[in-house]
């Protein structure tokens, strides 16, 4: 049976590895528009900041495809899907027949239709990242347009290279989808202390060679302009092929489209009315699709999202319904702006339905576990925000953490799975990552994995 995957990003490459792990009975062809080997898009901000090089964010070695019998057509743009003959037609005219087609086309950067926008560089791909780095070498100041996750990461990365940065955002506060107004304010002040000037409630009307002009006529200087204005799902191929498309390509719980021979996963897919823009849901969907295609049974029931900001010296986690007020839920909050700290719990019917943790905290692991499992909360709410105050060890300490606790959100890896890997011989983080993929997503769980491995080694008196 011939499997063709269109898209070789984080969803497409994960699907291919999941499928080959399950069966060798298929002939798999993956078609990627980018010439790069698949890479971890989540870590591009680290490349921008100079912490990683392109090779360090690569997801697969070039030799992997041949070793697993997978044909990789990199740098190949797909022009059309012929559902009648079951073939994918590349822009070059090459026809690639399929029995099952998996769409993992991802999303594209939103580029606002304003004069001079071609002078700016979108921050979305590794090619974009390299263009920004090349331009930053001779730049005196940068302007980043967009105060969501990507914009903040881009601004922090450039500031970390010593470049003065102004971050412009249309909404009244940063990351307005994930944060409430006070958290957005504290985050802005944290960034300001790191060299990023934050301007909210402003609208860019024109991009110039030496800066941008706002809608009110104000000029903001910057000879490097970076766009991070959001993304939209890439659905043209599916739409032209007559598949059902709303905001994304509509799929069922098996990740099938309305054509049973075509699946869609990742940022291009819409499940139960939701398009997910984070890596963890994309990897969950890839696993479901691979299981189903390999002949197994699996259903995707949606994802509970935990957003982590991956910017150096900025610790932020947000999850669930963070905007509910005291009129609709029990809300517990603590704010210390001078320290860059903001913590908020949103509780309904005794269960955690939302949380914001800004600033370094040992509460994140506990709160993520409670949010993900939906279990009842202890009566000591302050102890949830400040585990040390309760007199007991924090639940994200290896000693107190239950085996069911999810340590790696991106790959759904629990403490129990890490323990099983350790018992099977994995004595360091690299071994655990090879067996479970923990730490290979956003990387924010690395310290927790190190702690668990170290604790297990200590218990048995062996060297980590």
């Amino acid at each position: 049976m011939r499997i063709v995957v269109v898209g070789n990003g984080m969803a497409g490459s994960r699907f291919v590895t999941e499928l080959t792990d399950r069966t060798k009975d298929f002939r798999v062809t993956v078609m990627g528009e980018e010439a790069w080997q698949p890479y971890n898009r989540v870590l591009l901000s680290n490349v921008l900041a100079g912490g990683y090089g392109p090779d360090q964010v690569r997801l697969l070695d070039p030799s992997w495809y041949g070793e697993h019998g997978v044909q990789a057509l990199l740098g190949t743009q797909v022009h059309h899907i012929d559902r009648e003959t079951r073939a994918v037609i590349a822009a070059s005219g090459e026809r690639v027949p399929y029995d099952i087609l998996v769409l993992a086309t991802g999303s594209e950067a939103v580029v606002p239709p304003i004069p001079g926008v071609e002078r700016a560089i979108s921050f979305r791909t590794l090619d974009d990242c390299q263009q920004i780095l090349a331009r930053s070498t001779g730049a005196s100041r940068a302007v980043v347009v967009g105060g969501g996750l990507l914009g903040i990461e881009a601004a922090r990365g450039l500031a970390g290279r010593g470049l003065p940065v102004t971050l412009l955002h249309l909404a009244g506060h940063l990351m307005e989808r994930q944060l409430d107004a006070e958290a957005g304010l504290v985050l802005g002040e944290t960034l300001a202390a790191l060299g990023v000037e934050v301007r909210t409630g402003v609208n860019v009307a024109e991009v110039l060679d030496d800066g941008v002009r706002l809608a009110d006529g104000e000029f903001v200087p910057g000879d490097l302009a970076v766009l991070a204005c959001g993304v939209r799902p890439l659905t043209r191929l599916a739409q032209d092929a007559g598949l059902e498309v709303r905001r994304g390509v509509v799929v069922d719980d098996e990740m099938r489209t309305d054509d049973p021979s075509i699946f869609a996963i990742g940022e291009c897919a819409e499940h139960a009315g939701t398009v997910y823009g984070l890596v963890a849901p994309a990897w969950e969907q890839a696993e479901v699709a691979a299981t189903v295609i390999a002949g197994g049974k699996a259903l995707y029931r949606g994802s509970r999202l935990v957003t982590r900001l991956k910017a150096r010296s900025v610790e932020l986690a947000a999850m669930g319904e963070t905007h509910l007020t005291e009129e609709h839920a029990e809300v517990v909050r603590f704010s210390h702006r001078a320290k860059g700290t903001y913590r908020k719990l949103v509780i309904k019917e005794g269960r955690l339905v939302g949380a914001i943790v800004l600033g370094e905290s040992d509460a994140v692991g506990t709160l993520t576990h409670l949010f993900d499992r939906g279990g009842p909360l202890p009566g000591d709410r302050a102890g949830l925000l400040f585990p040390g105050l309760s007199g007991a060890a924090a639940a994200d300490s290896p000693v107190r953490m239950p085996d069911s606790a999810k340590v790696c959100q991106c790959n759904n890896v629990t403490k129990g799975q890490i323990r099983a890997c350790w018992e099977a011989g994995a004595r360091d983080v690299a071994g655990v990552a090879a067996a479970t993929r923990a730490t290979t997503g956003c990387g924010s769980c690395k310290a927790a994995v190190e702690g668990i491995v170290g604790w297990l080694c200590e218990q048995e008196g062996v060297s980590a």
Side-chain angles (χ1 to χ4, degrees):
M1 184 176 287
R2 299 164 299 186
I3 311 292
V4 174
V5 184
V6 177
N8 196 31
M10 297 187 73
S13 62
R14 173 55 68 92
F15 167 80
V16 172
T17 59
E18 293 282 355
L19 184 65
T20 54
D21 283 347
R22 287 164 172 75
T23 178
K24 309 298 182 185
D25 295 338
F26 299 133
R27 284 187 292 164
V28 181
T29 300
V30 58
M31 307 173 73
E33 186 169 349
E34 292 186 74
W36 296 96
Q37 302 290 332
Y39 57 87
N40 190 333
R41 198 182 303 276
V42 176
L43 299 178
L44 286 183
S45 58
N46 291 339
V47 176
L48 205 60
Y52 291 165
D55 287 344
Q56 292 173 285
V57 299
R58 190 170 58 195
L59 291 171
L60 295 175
D61 290 325
S63 60
W64 184 91
Y65 298 102
E67 293 170 355
H68 291 79
V70 174
Q71 181 185 25
L73 303 178
L74 305 183
T76 300
Q77 185 177 8
V78 174
H79 182 264
H80 179 63
I81 300 169
D82 187 339
R83 290 170 59 190
E84 288 189 10
T85 64
R86 289 194 176 183
V88 174
I89 296 90
S92 64
E94 180 182 4
R95 296 177 66 88
V96 182
Y98 68 85
D99 296 300
I100 292 177
L101 174 64
V102 179
L103 298 177
T105 50
S107 57
E108 64 181 351
V110 172
V111 179
I114 58 176
V117 73
E118 68 280 356
R119 297 185 177 97
I121 305 172
S122 295
F123 180 47
R124 176 68 182 159
T125 69
L126 190 50
D127 283 335
D128 295 336
C129 195
Q130 292 202 318
Q131 286 188 54
I132 294 170
L133 289 175
R135 287 268 298 273
S136 68
T137 302
S140 60
R141 186 174 188 88
V143 176
V144 177
V145 182
L149 270 175
L150 281 179
I152 292 171
E153 290 174 1
R156 177 66 187 102
L158 290 169
R161 287 180 171 269
L163 194 64
V165 180
T166 302
L167 178 61
L168 305 175
H169 191 47
L170 179 62
H173 66 272
L174 299 174
M175 291 180 62
E176 73 279 1
R177 293 183 180 180
Q178 297 89 3
L179 304 182
D180 60 21
E182 187 171 1
L185 176 64
V186 176
L187 175 58
E189 293 173 343
T190 299
L191 292 171
L194 297 171
V196 179
E197 179 189 357
V198 177
R199 301 278 306 277
T200 57
V202 295
N203 190 12
V204 175
E206 184 179 8
V207 180
L208 306 169
D209 288 330
D210 54 351
V212 301
R213 194 169 303 283
L214 304 182
D216 63 3
E218 181 185 354
F219 174 76
V220 179
D223 44 3
L224 169 61
V226 176
L227 299 179
C229 303
V231 297
R232 66 168 66 91
L234 283 166
T235 60
R236 181 192 60 80
L237 282 174
Q239 196 159 16
D240 290 350
L243 299 174
E244 183 180 2
V245 174
R246 295 174 193 160
R247 182 163 174 249
V249 184
V250 177
V251 296
D252 62 15
D253 290 349
E254 291 186 330
M255 306 312 297
R256 293 184 195 265
T257 68
D258 51 341
D259 182 330
S261 65
I262 302 179
F263 292 69
I265 58 175
E267 292 182 335
C268 71
E270 178 178 329
H271 175 267
T274 300
V275 176
Y276 295 94
L278 297 176
V279 63
W283 283 352
E284 291 174 27
Q285 293 170 6
E287 185 175 353
V288 169
T291 301
V292 171
I293 291 171
K297 293 185 178 180
L299 296 174
Y300 179 68
R301 299 300 195 186
S303 298
R304 294 172 68 81
L305 298 182
V306 178
T307 300
R308 300 295 295 262
L309 179 61
K310 295 158 292 297
R312 191 171 59 193
S313 304
V314 184
E315 298 288 336
L316 171 64
M319 59 200 82
E321 302 177 65
T322 58
H323 291 87
L324 292 181
T325 64
E326 284 83 350
E327 297 178 9
H328 305 98
E330 177 188 350
V331 178
V332 182
R333 60 164 61 86
F334 171 84
S335 180
H336 189 180
R337 287 173 56 184
K339 293 289 187 181
T341 299
Y342 181 79
R343 302 177 190 181
K344 177 180 181 179
L345 306 179
V346 182
I347 301 164
K348 292 185 72 173
E349 298 177 354
R351 285 169 168 77
L352 186 69
V353 298
I356 300 171
V357 181
L358 174 59
E360 187 173 348
S361 171
D362 54 4
V364 174
T366 302
L367 296 177
T368 301
H369 175 66
L370 290 169
F371 171 72
D372 188 62
R373 308 293 289 190
L377 300 182
D380 180 13
R381 309 304 201 214
L384 289 175
L385 289 181
F386 304 95
L389 294 181
S390 64
D396 44 352
S397 161
V399 180
R400 302 283 296 176
M401 185 185 294
D403 275 355
S404 61
K406 191 182 295 185
V407 178
C408 176
Q409 292 293 321
C410 297
N411 290 287
N412 292 311
V413 181
T414 65
K415 177 195 170 185
Q417 290 172 294
I418 295 172
R419 181 198 292 272
C421 287
W422 188 90
E423 292 172 348
R427 293 293 189 263
D428 55 22
V429 173
V432 171
T436 66
R437 295 193 176 100
T439 74
T440 65
C442 70
S444 61
C445 65
K446 185 175 181 180
V449 175
E450 288 175 343
I452 293 170
V453 171
W455 171 69
L456 289 168
C457 290
E458 183 181 338
Q459 298 303 300
E460 297 297 325
V462 300
S463 299

